Each structure stands twice: as C-alpha cells, then as structure tokens.
C-alpha cells in the first residue's frame, strides 16, 4: 500500500538549515509527484513545493529563495532543504503524494 | 500567485444540519480545487477533487460544487464525526495555494 514517512531533526537552531527526508513505499517516484506541505501549530496549511515524476520542481513564491526539493529514486526518498530558518518556520512538515496520500508529519521546532 | 479566500473561518452547527463552506479564488481556477478534512493531531484527508468529485470512501453527505472563482463544500446531515477543520486547495496553477481553513464545531 502507499505510504509516506517524514524524518528529520525535531529541533533546529535559528539561521540553520533544515533537512527532511520523505521515504515512500508502494509506488515509484518516477511515476508520481510528491509535495511538501507545512502547518504551524494551530494554524492553516501552507504548500511548500513539489517534485514531479520527471524531476521538475515548483516552489512556493515566498519560500523559493531558501527552499530546495530533490530526490533519490533508487532509495524512494524525497528531500527538503530549507536554509536561514526562523522561529516562524516551526511547523509540522508533511510530504504528500498528491492529493490523496499524506505522511504522518514531523514536527520541527526552530529555536535559538 | 492565486489567492484562496475561505469562509467562514469558524462555524458552529447542530447535528443533522446542512453546512456550507465557501472558497473564492482570485482568478479562474477551472475546477482545479480540492477539499480536505483535518481532525486534531491527524494528517489532512482528501474529501473532494476536481471541485466536485468525491474521493473514494468519503461519505456521500459531502459534496463539492462551483466553477470559475467560486467553490463550495456542502455537508448534509452533519454528524459528530464531521467536527474538524476543512481546507480548500487550488492546484490549477503553481504555486499551489490553500484557503485559510474553516473550523467546524457542534452547537
């Protein structure tokens, strides 16, 4: 069955870089697109970006300058890297196989 | 970027009532719209895609409609398990964008 699971550090220092991994199973990254979505505690959803099955990437305009999404198809993994983190980047980070399959999310806290 | 304005931000309704949530896009999104339900501590769940197509396994009391810039999600005969937050998302054009969400509570 289709599964996605996010992993990464739960705590990141301000101004540092966040690196998250989404490990997928039950489908191939060369056949399906994967997005990253985040949600600050108690707030709404924010689409961050997407890597398409062919490898093309698209990003949220507000995050584009510090966000990168990549993948390793042989390992069935999608990566998110975002630099210059601030406290407002504290959120649950989800990876999704659009639109129906979501990971459980991983909470990232940004603190000085 | 396409802006999605969702209303109301919060809603209180009684069991058995019919509830409607609206999303307005800043430009025509040609039915490229999804609705999600999210319960506390859980990941969002897809309800509706392509504005009016019911996702597999979603109860038929949920329905989506609209076109152009105006879309709505209707819940007929509200059940206690429908207490949740609801979000619309446009995927017609990049960057994709979400509405601000609607928190639905029981009266």
């Amino acid at each position: 069955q289709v599964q996605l699971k996010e992993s990464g550090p739960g705590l990141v220092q301000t101004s540092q870089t966040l690196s998250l991994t989404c490990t997928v199973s039950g489908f191939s990254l060369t056949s399906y697109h994967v997005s990253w979505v985040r949600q600050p505690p108690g707030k709404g959803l924010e689409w961050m970006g997407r890597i398409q099955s062919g490898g093309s990437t698209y990003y949220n305009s507000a995050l584009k300058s510090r966000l990168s999404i990549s993948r390793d198809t042989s390992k069935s993994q999608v990566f998110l890297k975002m630099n210059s983190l601030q406290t407002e980047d504290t959120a649950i980070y989800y990876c999704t196989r659009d639109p129906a399959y979501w990971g459980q999310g991983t909470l990232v806290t940004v603190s000085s | 970027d396409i802006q999605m304005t969702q209303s109301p931000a919060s809603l209180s309704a009684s069991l058995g009532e019919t509830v409607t949530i609206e999303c307005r896009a800043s430009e025509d999104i040609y039915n490229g719209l999804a609705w999600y339900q999210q319960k506390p501590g859980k990941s969002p769940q897809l309800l509706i895609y392509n504005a009016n197509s019911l996702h597999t396994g979603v109860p038929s009391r949920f329905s989506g409609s609209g076109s152009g810039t105006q879309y709505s999600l209707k819940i007929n005969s509200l059940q206690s398990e429908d207490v949740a937050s609801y979000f619309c998302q446009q995927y017609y054009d990049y960057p994709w964008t979400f509405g601000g969400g609607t928190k639905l509570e029981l009266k």
Side-chain angles (χ1 to χ4, degrees), chain A residues 8-29:
Chain A
L11 181 64
V12 180
Q13 302 290 318
T14 52
S15 79
Q16 297 302 301
T17 296
L18 171 65
S19 295
L20 295 176
T21 299
C22 173
T23 303
V24 310
S25 59
F27 68 97
S28 170
L29 292 176

Side-chain angles (χ1 to χ4, degrees), chain A residues 14-91:
Chain A
T14 52
S15 79
Q16 297 302 301
T17 296
L18 171 65
S19 295
L20 295 176
T21 299
C22 173
T23 303
V24 310
S25 59
F27 68 97
S28 170
L29 292 176
T30 58
S31 298
Y32 290 91
H33 319 310
V34 171
S35 291
W36 286 94
V37 174
R38 69 178 180 176
Q39 184 172 38
K43 296 190 177 180
L45 300 168
E46 180 180 33
W47 183 83
M48 300 182 71
R50 189 191 209 206
I51 185 162
Q52 293 195 319
S53 57
S56 298
T57 53
Y58 299 87
Y59 297 109
N60 179 314
S61 301
L63 302 175
K64 193 173 185 177
S65 62
R66 56 191 187 104
L67 178 63
S68 173
I69 297 174
S70 60
R71 67 183 184 179
D72 184 333
T73 56
S74 67
K75 294 184 178 179
S76 294
Q77 292 180 325
V78 177
F79 308 107
L80 177 148
K81 287 191 190 304
M82 189 163 68
N83 59 30
S84 304
L85 256 62
Q86 299 301 316
T87 55
E88 52 265 34
D89 294 311
T90 294

Side-chain angles (χ1 to χ4, degrees), chain A residues 89-107:
Chain A
D89 294 311
T90 294
I92 298 172
Y93 287 75
Y94 298 98
C95 58
T96 87
R97 196 194 92 174
D98 310 308
Y101 297 96
W102 292 62
Q104 64 190 21
T106 186
L107 175 63

